[in-house]
Amino acid sequence: NEIWELYQDNEGNIWIGTNDGLNKFNAVNQEFTTYFMVENDSNSLTDNCIWEIYLDSKNILWIVTDNGLSRYNKETDSFTQYKNNPKDSCSLSFNTVFTIYEDKDNALWIGTVNGINLFDREKETFRCFQKEYELVGNAIFGILEDDHNNLWLSTVNGLSKFSKETYTFRAYDIFDGLQNNDYSVGAYVRTQRGELVFGGVNGVTLF
C-alpha cells in the first residue's frame, strides 16, 4: 500500500493512512489494527483512500478521505460519517475532502474539492464558502491561520486569504510572487516563527 499520512496520537499510537485503508499501530504490544470502508456500514470509514489524519483540541481524531470525512469514536472503536447530501444544504459541500484545520477559536474548517466548510460542532452541520464568496479555486489543499484572524488556503489556482470576520476572500497568483498557481495536497506548515509555508509544483511560497 502507498502511505500518504502518518500521525502519532497522545497515547503513542501511530495512525497510518494509505490508499487502501487506515492502520493503527500500538507501539506497546506491537500490534496493528486495520480499518476499512464497509459497504452499507455507517460506522465504518467513509472511504479507504486516506488524505489526512488530524487530532483536534477536544481529543477527537478526524480522518480525511477521498469520499467524505470520518470521526473516530474511541469508546466504540468505530466511526461517524459525514458526507454530502444533495437534498441537505447543511451537509458537507462535496465528498472529496483534502484537509481539515482547527483555528485558534477551536472552529473546524474542512477543505474539499468544492469549497471550504465551517463545521458546527453542536448542530453537526456545515456551512460552505466557495465561488459566490469569490474563492479563487474551489479545491482546497491546505489551510493555515495567520495572526490577523485570516485563513490562508492553497488551491489549484493560487492562494486565497479568507477573512473570518467578513467572510470575504482575496486572491493571489503568480503575479504576486507565488511559486506557481498550482499547490499540492498536504504541503503546508506554520513555522515556530509564525511564517506560513505552502508547497506546490514549482517550489514553496513562504510569508
Side-chain angles (χ1 to χ4, degrees):
N1 292 339
E2 295 181 18
I3 296 175
W4 289 355
E5 177 77 337
L6 292 170
Y7 184 83
Q8 185 174 31
D9 64 24
N10 51 20
E11 296 181 356
N13 298 308
I14 298 174
W15 294 82
I16 306 164
T18 77
N19 64 332
D20 190 25
L22 176 69
N23 300 272
K24 180 176 70 174
F25 178 66
N26 187 313
V28 176
N29 58 28
Q30 300 286 296
E31 291 182 354
F32 280 93
T33 304
T34 303
Y35 305 90
F36 294 102
M37 183 273 293
V38 179
E39 291 287 347
N40 301 317
D41 183 356
S42 61
N43 294 314
S44 69
L45 286 170
T46 54
D47 194 69
N48 289 329
C49 179
I50 312 298
W51 287 110
E52 191 171 278
I53 302 167
Y54 190 90
L55 188 70
D56 69 17
S57 62
K58 300 183 182 297
N59 205 33
I60 297 173
L61 194 70
W62 298 89
I63 313 300
V64 173
T65 83
D66 206 43
N67 191 33
L69 181 67
S70 298
R71 184 185 69 195
Y72 179 63
N73 305 308
K74 180 181 176 182
E75 294 77 11
T76 58
D77 197 31
S78 63
F79 298 89
T80 300
Q81 298 184 351
Y82 300 93
K83 301 182 76 173
N84 174 258
N85 179 352
K87 297 180 180 180
D88 183 2
S89 62
C90 293
S91 68
L92 193 64
S93 64
F94 204 84
N95 284 336
T96 301
V97 184
F98 292 123
T99 188
I100 183 171
Y101 181 81
E102 184 177 27
D103 66 20
K104 62 184 179 183
D105 301 313
N106 304 124
L108 283 176
W109 300 85
I110 295 90
T112 77
V113 76
N114 192 29
I116 184 172
N117 293 245
L118 174 60
F119 180 61
D120 187 317
R121 293 179 188 265
E122 294 184 2
K123 298 179 181 179
E124 294 206 329
T125 57
F126 298 85
R127 179 178 178 181
C128 180
F129 303 90
Q130 48 187 191
K131 281 186 176 178
E132 58 265 36
Y133 293 90
E134 298 182 355
L135 175 60
V136 65
N138 272 351
I140 310 299
F141 293 157
I143 306 171
L144 290 173
E145 186 174 18
D146 63 20
D147 294 327
H148 306 288
N149 215 29
N150 300 305
L151 297 179
W152 289 81
L153 318 174
S154 58
T155 78
V156 293
N157 195 31
L159 291 179
S160 281
K161 181 174 71 173
F162 176 68
S163 169
K164 295 192 297 177
E165 297 175 351
T166 62
Y167 294 155
T168 56
F169 291 92
R170 179 178 176 182
Y172 297 84
D173 58 24
I174 55 174
F175 298 105
D176 296 299
L178 304 186
Q179 54 82 36
N180 192 282
N181 283 341
D182 197 356
Y183 284 84
S184 302
V185 177
Y188 60 96
V189 67
R190 176 169 171 147
T191 70
Q192 292 182 345
R193 294 185 296 182
E195 298 163 320
L196 307 187
V197 186
F198 293 94
V201 299
N202 195 36
V204 299
T205 300
L206 180 151
F207 54 96

